[in-house]
Amino acid sequence: MKRIYLDHNATTPMNPEVLKAMLPFFTQNFGNASSIHNFGREAREAISKAREQVAALIEAEPANIVFTSGGTESDNFAIKGIAYANEKKGKHIITSQIEHPAVLSTCKFLEKQGFEVTYLKVDNCGKVDLDQLRDSIRKDTILISIMHGNNEIGTIQDIEEIGKIAAEKGVFFHTDAVQTCGKIPVSVKRANATLLSLSGHKIYGPKGVGALFIKKATRIFPLQHGGHHESNRRAGTENVPGIVGLGKACEIAQKSMEGNCRRIVDLRNRLQNELVERIEDTVVNGHPTDRLPNTLNICFRYVEGESMIMMLDMKGIAVSSGSACTSGSLDPSHVLLAIGLSHEIAHGSLRFSLGVDNTREDIDYVAEVMPEIVHRLRKMSALA
Ligand SMILES: *Cc1c(COP(=O)(O)O)cnc(C)c1O
């Protein structure tokens, strides 16, 4: 059976070029980057090249990139690191209700440590209200953490405006750009970001590696203590193959972003139009234009997302409902509730997230099988 993968916001297949770049660093070039000898030098040089590749993708200076174990660690490091380094200045943090769990759970944790967190509401397209953001900044506000692109509905926030507001008020600004890096242009300069998170496995790189951009001269509390790695910001022997892979993935993303984006957005729009046209009672979620080019989140009334996923899976099609991180729980997605959907409608949501290998045939096949699946489930449903 042909398998069609439409869950790229959960993870992506590794680009073969990335694997090729990584392989020597598992075997012959196995050195520890802290060693003085030739083996160590090779590893050091490879890390330094990767730092340049990552920095180039987000318009940063290589010296301001710290390698981490992924998006989750980058978010934790950014938020806790800034919170602990600035708690004498203030204990108030602003974020939004639709952040990734890596941000939300970190904020919840800090609340237990005596920090205060404002969770900004979003409108029904998933946008943060900038006036509300301005109004919620207080004397003791130290950090604003607002994601760039939402992993579930794809809504893109105006991070340049948010960065401007943060800078005017002298507040640090962190953005989780895990979903936008490699898909649309991301610039720490234009966004005036103090900190920016990205992850390897969302951009056709390896799992378990990511990066945090930290603006020059920003005081940040390290989360891991040990050796002097990563300029004393993150202790632990570097994951050299992973870092090399992340660098390569960033380089490829930068080169191919424009072409991929144009092709993928066309396919996404085709899928959206076909589904809305062929199936009654659908609601497309997220912002109509300010949305990740690859993401389609759509609710099918009177059916359960999980049931649709299982029936699609039997046809070889992989999609998700809500987010992979919260699946397994019966609570509907916090993002869908935050944009004002009822529990009932939110339960019928599917997320199609396209990637570079998807073809028009893939999309047409999905558009062909979906109506039949939805109709069959609606017939069985007591709600319809
Ligand atoms: C996937 C994701 C993360 C977590 O990244 P990992 O590398 O899987 O830890 C954080 N934020 C967003 C928006 C994501 O999509």
Side-chain angles (χ1 to χ4, degrees):
M1 185 172 57
K2 185 173 160 55
R3 295 206 302 165
I4 299 175
Y5 186 77
L6 294 172
D7 202 10
H8 293 83
N9 287 8
T11 195
T12 58
M14 206 156 72
N15 185 312
E17 288 293 311
V18 171
L19 177 63
K20 207 171 117 198
M22 290 170 71
L23 281 175
F25 294 92
F26 286 108
T27 52
Q28 67 266 34
N29 306 343
F30 60 86
N32 183 324
S34 301
S35 306
I36 292 167
H37 46 63
N38 182 260
F39 293 84
R41 205 155 48 236
E42 273 173 1
R44 222 158 32 244
E45 278 163 12
I47 291 176
S48 151
K49 181 175 167 198
R51 214 183 293 283
E52 285 170 19
Q53 291 166 317
V54 173
L57 182 65
I58 57 171
E59 279 199 84
E61 297 298 325
N64 301 334
I65 301 294
V66 175
F67 291 112
T68 67
S69 67
T72 300
E73 185 188 326
S74 294
D75 287 344
N76 270 268
F77 185 15
I79 298 169
K80 286 182 217 165
I82 288 294
Y84 293 147
N86 293 280
E87 57 186 332
K88 292 223 170 64
K89 221 166 88 190
K91 289 193 140 197
H92 180 233
I93 295 168
I94 299 170
T95 186
S96 84
Q97 291 184 348
I98 63 164
E99 298 297 311
H100 189 273
V103 167
L104 287 179
S105 307
T106 302
C107 288
K108 293 269 175 240
F109 169 79
L110 285 175
E111 282 184 286
K112 289 197 197 117
Q113 312 264 310
F115 287 85
E116 262 184 86
V117 182
T118 299
Y119 299 89
L120 295 175
K121 290 196 174 70
V122 294
D123 66 15
N124 58 10
C125 295
K127 283 267 197 181
V128 165
D129 180 344
L130 298 183
D131 289 326
Q132 205 197 341
L133 169 65
R134 267 187 215 97
D135 291 344
S136 53
I137 298 175
R138 318 189 311 208
K139 274 217 158 49
D140 61 341
T141 306
I142 48 175
L143 174 69
I144 296 170
S145 178
I146 292 182
M147 73 199 317
H148 192 193
N150 183 271
N151 45 303
E152 293 190 40
I153 57 174
T155 299
I156 296 167
Q157 305 296 341
D158 200 349
I159 56 168
E160 292 179 23
E161 282 305 312
I162 295 172
K164 215 182 278 171
I165 293 169
E168 276 165 17
K169 302 277 186 178
V171 175
F172 294 119
F173 172 42
H174 165 246
T175 188
D176 175 335
V178 170
Q179 287 294 343
T180 47
C181 281
K183 290 184 187 138
I184 60 170
V186 173
S187 162
V188 294
K189 285 209 187 89
R190 271 185 285 121
N192 225 321
T194 323
L195 309 118
L196 180 143
S197 305
L198 60 90
S199 170
H201 74 105
K202 304 286 175 86
I203 56 170
Y204 308 93
K207 292 176 179 58
V209 62
L212 180 66
F213 160 80
I214 307 172
K215 193 174 176 176
K216 194 176 167 192
T218 306
R219 273 199 339 116
I220 188 159
F221 202 88
L223 298 189
Q224 278 189 192
H225 302 91
H228 299 294
H229 313 88
E230 296 294 282
S231 312
N232 288 321
R233 288 172 297 193
R234 193 213 187 236
T237 300
E238 296 85 351
N239 169 8
V240 183
I243 289 168
V244 166
L246 175 64
K248 191 72 188 172
C250 287
E251 183 194 274
I252 296 170
Q254 200 185 1
K255 271 194 306 214
S256 52
M257 180 167 4
E258 226 180 284
N260 283 338
C261 174
R262 218 173 310 125
R263 206 166 39 77
I264 289 174
V265 84
D266 279 348
L267 290 176
R268 193 275 312 271
N269 292 346
R270 184 181 175 86
L271 180 61
Q272 176 174 326
N273 294 339
E274 290 290 323
L275 294 180
V276 169
E277 200 169 292
R278 293 186 194 197
I279 306 171
E280 284 172 18
D281 286 321
T282 56
V283 186
V284 174
N285 300 310
H287 197 279
T289 50
D290 293 346
R291 183 156 45 125
L292 294 172
N294 76 323
T295 305
L296 172 61
N297 188 303
I298 181 164
C299 290
F300 302 89
R301 274 192 99 121
Y302 317 119
V303 279
E304 288 282 336
E306 317 284 307
S307 317
M308 289 186 279
I309 291 178
M310 284 190 279
M311 291 179 79
L312 285 165
D313 189 40
M314 285 193 281
K315 302 218 177 262
I317 301 164
V319 305
S320 88
S321 71
S323 68
C325 312
T326 47
S327 69
S329 82
L330 280 173
D331 292 334
S333 136
H334 67 287
V335 177
L336 297 179
L337 295 181
I339 59 170
L341 297 185
S342 68
H343 278 240
E344 182 224 317
I345 295 187
H347 269 305
S349 110
L350 282 188
R351 178 186 72 185
F352 300 88
S353 48
L354 285 65
V356 298
D357 296 324
N358 289 131
T359 63
R360 194 161 146 162
E361 288 72 50
D362 293 348
I363 296 310
D364 289 347
Y365 178 60
V366 175
E368 197 183 296
V369 303
M370 266 311 287
E372 170 191 319
I373 288 175
V374 174
H375 290 150
R376 195 144 25 115
L377 288 170
R378 279 183 180 163
K379 253 195 229 158
M380 288 159 35
S381 156
L383 299 167

